[in-house]
């Protein structure tokens, strides 16, 4: 069915477009999913090429390669987002503020802390909320949290700084 697309993939080093997409998405060769993503990229390449051939009379490399790049990028980005959501569910990141209450031990001494955490939670963006939940629930390092959230360490430090800034405003 996609033989024509796979044949085009093997011509003239067209596979480099897949590696370019992975580089653009910051997926390193050391990533555990790297080879799986390469295969997914190859499948996306073949499917997109066949779809392009069906809708266009003439196929030139200058016209088809940007189209293929975009289709591969969207497919791999969708897969990476699904993996991130799965990892977040496995780590027990709460979906809403009511679930956050169960994460903070509620004794008499902690009632004020729990209220402050809830106020802070409501001022945070969804990404900051995921970071905050992981910091409260686990003993993970910032690097490990960055891997779970599929963001850079720099981004995690920005989340932390932003949350601390919001906390000082709430106090």
């Amino acid at each position: 069915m996609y033989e024509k697309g796979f044949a085009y993939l093997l011509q003239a080093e067209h596979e480099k477009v897949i590696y370019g997409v992975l580089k653009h998405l910051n997926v390193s060769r050391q990533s555990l999913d790297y080879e799986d993503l390469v295969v997914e990229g190859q499948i996306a390449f073949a499917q997109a090429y066949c779809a392009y051939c069906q809708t266009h009379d003439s196929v030139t490399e200058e016209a088809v390669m940007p189209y293929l790049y975009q289709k591969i990028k969207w497919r791999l980005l969708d897969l990476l987002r699904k993996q991130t959501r799965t990892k977040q569910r496995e780590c027990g990141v709460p979906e809403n503020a009511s679930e956050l209450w169960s994460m903070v031990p509620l004794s008499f001494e902690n009632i004020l802390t729990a209220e402050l955490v809830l106020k802070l939670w409501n001022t945070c963006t969804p990404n900051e909320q995921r970071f905050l939940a992981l910091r409260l629930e686990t003993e993970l390092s910032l690097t490990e949290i960055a891997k779970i959230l599929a963001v850079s360490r720099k981004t995690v430090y920005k989340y932390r700084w932003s949350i601390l800034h919001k906390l000082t405003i709430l106090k």
Side-chain angles (χ1 to χ4, degrees):
M1 180 177 193
Y2 298 116
E3 293 86 10
K4 189 176 179 183
F6 286 114
Y8 188 74
L9 173 65
L10 297 175
Q11 294 175 5
E13 299 179 347
H14 289 143
E15 194 169 19
K16 285 184 178 181
V17 72
I18 297 166
Y19 300 116
V21 169
L22 289 170
K23 183 176 181 180
H24 178 80
L25 296 176
N26 296 318
V27 178
S28 70
R29 291 186 185 269
Q30 288 75 32
S31 172
L32 296 175
D33 299 325
Y34 186 80
E35 291 301 321
D36 293 335
L37 291 171
V38 169
V39 171
E40 287 293 335
Q42 292 169 340
I43 293 168
F45 183 102
Q47 290 172 338
Y49 181 79
C50 291
Y52 187 88
C53 289
Q54 290 175 353
T55 58
H56 294 78
D57 295 331
S58 66
V59 178
T60 62
E61 188 165 330
E62 294 78 25
V64 75
M65 292 310 279
Y67 175 83
L68 295 174
Y69 181 91
Q70 191 66 42
K71 290 292 188 179
I72 295 166
K73 179 180 168 188
W74 287 343
R75 170 86 168 267
L76 296 182
L77 195 55
D78 284 344
L79 288 170
L80 291 170
R81 286 180 181 149
K82 286 178 186 175
Q83 287 176 354
T84 300
R85 282 193 303 269
T86 302
K87 286 178 186 175
Q88 288 171 348
R89 273 188 243 118
E90 290 171 358
C91 290
V93 176
E95 297 289 326
N96 55 45
S98 64
E99 293 179 31
L100 185 66
W101 280 101
S102 65
M103 293 170 55
V104 179
L106 292 178
S107 64
F108 182 73
E109 301 90 30
N110 291 335
I111 289 175
L112 292 176
T113 303
E115 288 179 9
L116 183 61
V117 169
L118 185 60
K119 285 180 185 177
L120 179 61
W121 179 271
N122 290 328
T123 63
C124 291
T125 66
N127 288 331
E128 291 169 347
Q129 289 175 347
R130 288 190 284 276
F131 168 79
L132 183 60
L134 287 169
R135 280 302 271 184
L136 290 173
E137 185 180 83
T138 66
E139 297 291 325
L140 296 174
S141 69
L142 293 178
T143 303
E144 293 168 324
I145 290 174
K147 287 180 184 177
I148 290 170
L149 296 177
V151 296
S152 68
R153 282 188 352 193
K154 182 178 179 182
T155 302
V156 168
Y157 280 98
K158 285 181 183 179
Y159 293 160
R160 186 177 76 165
W161 182 89
S162 177
I163 290 169
L164 290 173
H165 179 71
K166 290 175 183 180
L167 182 61
T168 58
I169 293 171
L170 286 176
K171 284 185 176 183

